[in-house]
Amino acid sequence: MKSTLTLLSLSLSLSNFAGAQLSIEPSWGSESFASVADRRFTSTSTNFNFAPSDGGAGSLSSATSLTESRGSSSGFSVLDASNGLSVPLIRTYASTNSGNWAAFGSSVAIEGYTFNGSAPKTFTLDASLTGQVSNIDNDFAGNFATLSIWSPSGEFFPPIATRTAGPDDGFFFSSSESSYLEFGFNQLDTLRLEQNGLNDDDVLSGSLSWTMEPGETVYLWASGRSAVYGPDSIADARNTLTASFQDSTGLSSLSGGVVPEPSTSLLGLLSLAVLFRRKR
């Protein structure tokens, strides 16, 4: 199953290889995934059960979850404007029951920022990943986060766009970071946070920095993933991947973001908490 959804809003049009006109629209949004599977080898799986993915281009938030006899997983993300400027907030979770199983929860959020100042300025984005892992037996399992800043190369392809075969044969929203590279975008900075130690409970943090010219637009790609392999394992990042600007003066976001309603945020936390309690 391909987790790709149609891009929604740049208002550009171009010809595909067969000459038909395609409509390109801006690539901000959020998308979440959850699955449970049989563990085959150390870090490979088979016989997947997928929850329906949620969100995509133009989605300010997304949430999905799956619970079955082998384990549980969930993903949640939102372009959170609670503090003014929209930034990604991501929660993921994965756990297995007794048996040789695997589980995966993930979410991606993409936001664009335009600088409206009159002179070049350097921006710094602080990020942290808070979570817990238990009974993790390989480096491919745990809680993982990646944040990258990308600048268009001057081509008309939107970021995170990839060509896929289908009825429309068009350009689609993709949760893959590699799509930026495919269309020649420049990576200005990247941050990877990995929590995969045995029975580790930790807070990981870091920063991204980049310089923008007046009128320039860049894209923030943020991904969170929880993965477990084997019996009675937990990777719990329900305490979230968060991000905040040290000084966002002059920046505006493409999506505008959303201030999550307390009931929505609480529901996301409660859903993950219920899954966590089932493992105890």
Side-chain angles (χ1 to χ4, degrees):
M1 180 179 67
K2 294 182 178 179
S3 55
T4 52
L5 296 172
T6 307
L7 279 166
L8 290 180
S9 99
L10 235 175
S11 298
L12 294 175
S13 118
L14 56 128
S15 297
N16 67 10
F17 300 133
Q21 294 295 310
L22 301 176
S23 180
I24 307 296
E25 317 221 342
S27 38
W28 56 265
S30 64
E31 193 166 18
S32 295
F33 311 89
S35 61
V36 175
D38 295 344
R39 179 183 183 179
R40 189 175 181 185
F41 300 112
T42 300
S43 61
T44 59
S45 306
T46 187
N47 193 22
F48 278 85
N49 181 15
F50 292 94
S53 62
D54 184 56
S59 295
L60 293 170
S61 64
S62 62
T64 191
S65 63
L66 175 65
T67 298
E68 49 125 285
S69 60
R70 295 175 294 179
S72 303
S73 58
S74 63
F76 169 83
S77 61
V78 62
L79 296 176
D80 183 6
S82 297
N83 295 319
L85 188 67
S86 167
V87 291
L89 182 152
I90 293 175
R91 303 185 182 106
T92 58
Y93 177 89
S95 67
T96 53
N97 298 322
S98 298
N100 200 26
W101 316 127
F104 312 92
S106 64
S107 194
V108 174
I110 300 108
E111 181 62 280
Y113 301 100
T114 299
F115 178 43
N116 303 306
S118 58
K121 181 176 178 177
T122 298
F123 293 93
T124 300
L125 183 76
D126 298 325
S128 65
L129 172 66
T130 304
Q132 180 183 17
V133 296
S134 177
N135 291 336
I136 301 300
D137 66 358
N138 66 81
D139 289 344
F140 300 97
N143 297 314
F144 307 90
T146 301
L147 297 96
S148 300
I149 291 288
W150 298 86
S151 174
S153 63
E155 300 293 334
F156 48 52
F157 296 106
I160 45 128
T162 182
R163 178 174 290 280
T164 59
D168 298 323
D169 191 26
F171 289 90
F172 291 79
F173 181 89
S174 170
S175 57
S176 171
E177 183 183 21
S178 64
S179 298
Y180 283 103
L181 297 172
E182 180 180 354
F183 290 108
F185 276 68
N186 301 314
Q187 187 179 80
L188 304 181
D189 202 1
T190 189
L191 172 66
R192 301 186 190 277
L193 304 172
E194 300 184 357
Q195 184 187 55
N196 55 5
L198 296 177
N199 299 309
D200 190 17
D201 189 356
D202 209 353
V203 178
L204 305 177
S205 61
S207 299
L208 298 163
S209 292
W210 67 96
T211 300
M212 296 179 69
E213 299 289 335
E216 184 179 2
T217 296
V218 299
Y219 294 87
L220 170 62
W221 184 92
S223 171
R225 183 173 187 262
S226 295
V228 291
Y229 301 89
D232 300 313
S233 298
I234 298 173
D236 177 9
R238 62 195 171 114
N239 286 329
T240 77
L241 168 67
T242 60
S244 62
F245 282 93
Q246 292 186 6
D247 176 12
S248 61
T249 304
L251 285 182
S252 60
S253 67
L254 296 187
S255 77
V258 63
V259 177
E261 297 180 5
S263 58
T264 302
S265 299
L266 181 60
L267 178 60
L269 285 172
L270 288 176
S271 298
L272 291 171
V274 167
L275 293 176
F276 182 69
R277 280 197 291 270
R278 288 177 179 171
K279 292 297 302 168
R280 296 181 67 88

